[in-house]
Amino acid sequence: MSMWISNLGGKVFKVFPWLYCIISIYPLVYMLFFSLKSNEEILYQNPFGIPHVFHFDNYSRAVKAFNILLFFKNSVIVSFASLIGIILFSITFAYAASRMEWRLNKWTTTYMLMGLFIPIQSIMIPLSLLVKNFHLANSYFSLIVPYISFNLSFSVLIFYGFFRTIPPEMEESAFMDGAGIARTFVNIILPIMRPAIATVIIFSFMGVWNEFTMATVLISDAHFKTLPVGLVSFTGARSSDYGGMGAAMVMASIPTFVVYLIFSEQVEKALTVGSAVKG
Amino acid sequence: MKHFRSNKKAIFLLTFPALFIFSVVVIYPLLQTFYRSFFEWNGLSQPRYIFLENYKSLLHDDIFYTSLYNGAIFALILTVFQLGIGSVLAFILLENKVFGKKILRTSYFIPVVLSVTVVCQLWLTMYNAQFGLINKIFELLHFTYRQDWLGDTNLSIIAITVVASWQFMGYQFAIIYAGMKTIPEHIYEAAKLDGASKVKTHLKITIPLMAETYRICLIFALIGGLTAYGYMNIMTGGGPGTSTYTLTYQMIRSAFVMNEIGYGSASAVVLILECFVVTLIINRFIARERITY
């Protein structure tokens, strides 16, 4: 009897991971399918399965009617500019904090890391007033500047930790050989930093590309909306076009999805390291 | 180089941009949140200093209690669902020869990288009372049970929480899986010799050793629950009625829809305190000493 139970237990054990795989993936497959179906098929004839007729026109309609290319462009601009700012500011800060000798070094570094514990929601109200007062409302900067600021603490922590693992002699010998500070940095330090930079890029890109709360509050002009916000506004306007909506959703998910499929190990590591340091 | 390492000008140039932008965009607004919570202000007129009045009104606001309750429900379901399923999946995948391990791990993580909008729109169509996938599944199985998942005052918060749990289960799984992998094999040998069952072994050995990891997961789930906003905004707009309000939702609504900036700031302060207290309590009680093998 107990043999039988443990046997059955073993079977359940082997099936459960696949069962959850279906729960995890099927909604997305369903989305992919309905992005290629007509309303008739989605609602009545064939809600679950592979489309009978592939309606690629859903995609062209989504591009034309929903302005999705504009939202896409905005997301790319905002993400790209934010990433550059994040890396530039945090690498320089982390270098000074880990390598150079100055008073208040410890205090300043602790101060920069405080951002890890501040929930972004808690400063939304003053931030929106600030953006208005600086006349940044409805421009790319109203998102880029907060995105940079909010990702600094994490990136500083990663770079700071990484610098401490590289022996200072590495730069010193290059410096002795007559390379200037800038050359030493570009030729010696940046190449070693590659894994840390990759972690920061992945973590920040995932966060910024998908960011919703700040983008809804700070952007009201449709011309500057990023994908997550843009998608909400058009589904309100054309909520009966399920196929087109599905197509837009699929297109909006492609960048992060592809990045994940290519760098899956690094993405998991970069994202989970984020919560490990916050804890 | 020695000279460079204490060069004041270089230090200033390297640290100033980060310090400046962080101070202006994060720390200054944070202080402003506290400061403004003591005022009555609609954003246009002269602000009026009212000290703790905003906090007193919060205590008499039914929506405030709904928000607290929803935050707690959200955090609780998230924790049980994600940590429970995540742990079981990690046990199974680490111990058994399961076919397609890499595919499974990838499939659990994929929803994490999607935007909250895509996830919410997708589940909105799935929850649809008339032709949504969930009700269709009941139809397929010949149950007569149908539900307007997001239209029911009691159910809607749970329906929303399921979406968040679904999306981030893979995230917690990845953390737990990585944590379990670091437990060395020899720890289990004594238990194996004693003939302890697998369930017992995990309950008595694995889970206590994982305290540090669970602490991280718990904080992530609880803070995520307390600060939830996007899900409500997209799926229900806080409704039906005010039944799916959270503290963040209430704060953004008071500040940007009702133009009660002081009142919204007071909600934000409560949110900060809540997150602070939760983190403090968890850090106090779980994994106070680091475990070394």
Side-chain angles (χ1 to χ4, degrees), chain A residues 180-233:
Chain A
I181 298 286
R183 281 250 325 261
T184 310
F185 197 78
V186 173
N187 289 344
I188 308 288
I189 301 186
L190 281 185
I192 313 176
M193 297 288 290
R194 284 230 303 264
I197 295 175
T199 302
V200 168
I201 287 183
I202 290 171
F203 182 84
S204 315
F205 171 71
M206 292 286 175
V208 169
W209 185 270
N210 288 336
E211 206 285 329
F212 179 78
T213 309
M214 266 208 256
T216 3
V217 171
L218 297 179
I219 297 279
S220 54
D221 183 347
H223 194 70
F224 293 104
K225 280 182 177 166
T226 52
L227 268 173
V229 188
L231 284 186
V232 176
S233 57

Side-chain angles (χ1 to χ4, degrees), chain B residues 211-251:
Chain B
E212 179 67 22
T213 305
Y214 281 121
R215 185 177 66 86
I216 293 164
C217 294
L218 209 57
I219 289 178
F220 179 80
L222 291 173
I223 301 292
L226 294 176
T227 55
Y229 171 73
Y231 296 102
M232 287 74 189
N233 182 337
I234 300 168
M235 296 180 75
T236 61
T242 54
S243 61
T244 51
Y245 268 56
T246 55
L247 216 47
T248 307
Y249 196 91
Q250 186 211 9
M251 169 199 100

Side-chain angles (χ1 to χ4, degrees), chain B residues 28-260:
Chain B
Y28 172 71
L30 183 71
L31 300 176
Q32 281 273 309
T33 300
F34 283 92
Y35 178 71
R36 292 209 189 273
S37 72
F38 300 128
F39 287 86
E40 184 186 349
W41 190 39
N42 62 11
L44 297 169
S45 66
Q46 192 65 27
R48 194 164 68 89
Y49 178 71
I50 53 170
F51 194 42
L52 293 175
E53 280 308 312
N54 282 325
Y55 293 93
K56 277 186 204 151
S57 339
L58 261 184
L59 291 177
H60 293 111
D61 189 343
D62 284 339
I63 295 178
F64 176 65
Y65 292 102
T66 314
S67 304
L68 286 184
Y69 171 79
N70 283 341
I73 288 278
F74 204 92
L76 187 76
I77 298 181
L78 217 62
T79 309
V80 172
F81 182 101
Q82 295 180 335
L83 267 58
I85 294 183
S87 303
V88 171
L89 286 173
F91 289 145
I92 298 175
L93 286 190
L94 276 175
E95 218 166 74
N96 298 284
K97 282 212 173 73
V98 181
F99 169 71
K101 230 176 238 188
K102 180 79 194 120
I103 300 174
L104 288 172
R105 285 177 51 200
T106 309
S107 73
Y108 302 154
F109 204 81
I110 285 176
V112 176
V113 305
L114 301 180
S115 87
V116 66
T117 315
V118 168
V119 168
C120 288
Q121 299 286 5
L122 172 61
W123 280 82
L124 264 181
T125 49
M126 299 204 330
Y127 275 140
N128 189 300
Q130 265 180 298
F131 32 72
L133 189 73
I134 312 266
N135 279 344
K136 290 259 197 224
I137 290 175
F138 284 118
E139 196 180 304
L140 203 69
L141 300 171
H142 298 287
F143 286 121
T144 49
Y145 183 75
R146 300 284 182 278
Q147 185 66 51
D148 184 6
W149 300 96
L150 294 168
D152 184 289
T153 343
N154 296 316
L155 260 181
S156 51
I157 183 68
I158 295 173
I160 290 177
T161 313
V162 166
V163 178
S165 309
W166 171 82
Q167 188 181 3
F168 283 99
M169 202 297 294
Y171 187 84
Q172 304 272 30
F173 165 80
I175 298 178
I176 297 171
Y177 187 84
M180 267 184 207
K181 244 166 77 176
T182 60
I183 300 177
E185 200 56 39
H186 70 81
I187 301 251
Y188 293 107
E189 268 156 27
K192 232 181 231 165
L193 284 179
D194 289 345
S197 74
K198 270 181 191 163
V199 176
K200 206 168 173 189
T201 313
H202 284 315
L203 282 179
K204 293 263 150 107
I205 300 178
T206 316
I207 290 181
L209 282 177
M210 294 273 294
E212 179 67 22
T213 305
Y214 281 121
R215 185 177 66 86
I216 293 164
C217 294
L218 209 57
I219 289 178
F220 179 80
L222 291 173
I223 301 292
L226 294 176
T227 55
Y229 171 73
Y231 296 102
M232 287 74 189
N233 182 337
I234 300 168
M235 296 180 75
T236 61
T242 54
S243 61
T244 51
Y245 268 56
T246 55
L247 216 47
T248 307
Y249 196 91
Q250 186 211 9
M251 169 199 100
I252 289 183
R253 217 185 118 72
S254 341
F256 300 111
V257 182
M258 321 286 273
N259 286 323
E260 294 166 342

Side-chain angles (χ1 to χ4, degrees), chain A residues 13 17-18 23-24 28 43 48 92 100-101 111 121-122 126 128 149 172 175 210 228 235 256 260 271 275 279, chain B residues 1 4-5 14 23 29 33 92 99 107-109 113 115 117 121 131 136 166 171 215 227 248 251 256 272:
Chain A
F13 261 36
W18 281 98
I23 295 174
S24 186
L28 304 173
L43 304 182
F48 298 105
T92 48
M100 302 176 83
E101 291 137 19
Y111 172 77
Q121 288 84 348
S122 61
S128 77
S149 321
E172 266 158 26
F175 197 69
N210 288 336
T235 45
T256 49
Y260 174 62
L271 292 187
S275 74
Chain B
M1 198 73 195
F4 172 71
R5 289 211 189 285
L14 289 172
S23 303
T33 300
I92 298 175
F99 169 71
S107 73
Y108 302 154
F109 204 81
V113 305
S115 87
T117 315
Q121 299 286 5
F131 32 72
K136 290 259 197 224
W166 171 82
Y171 187 84
R215 185 177 66 86
T227 55
T248 307
M251 169 199 100
F256 300 111
I272 298 170

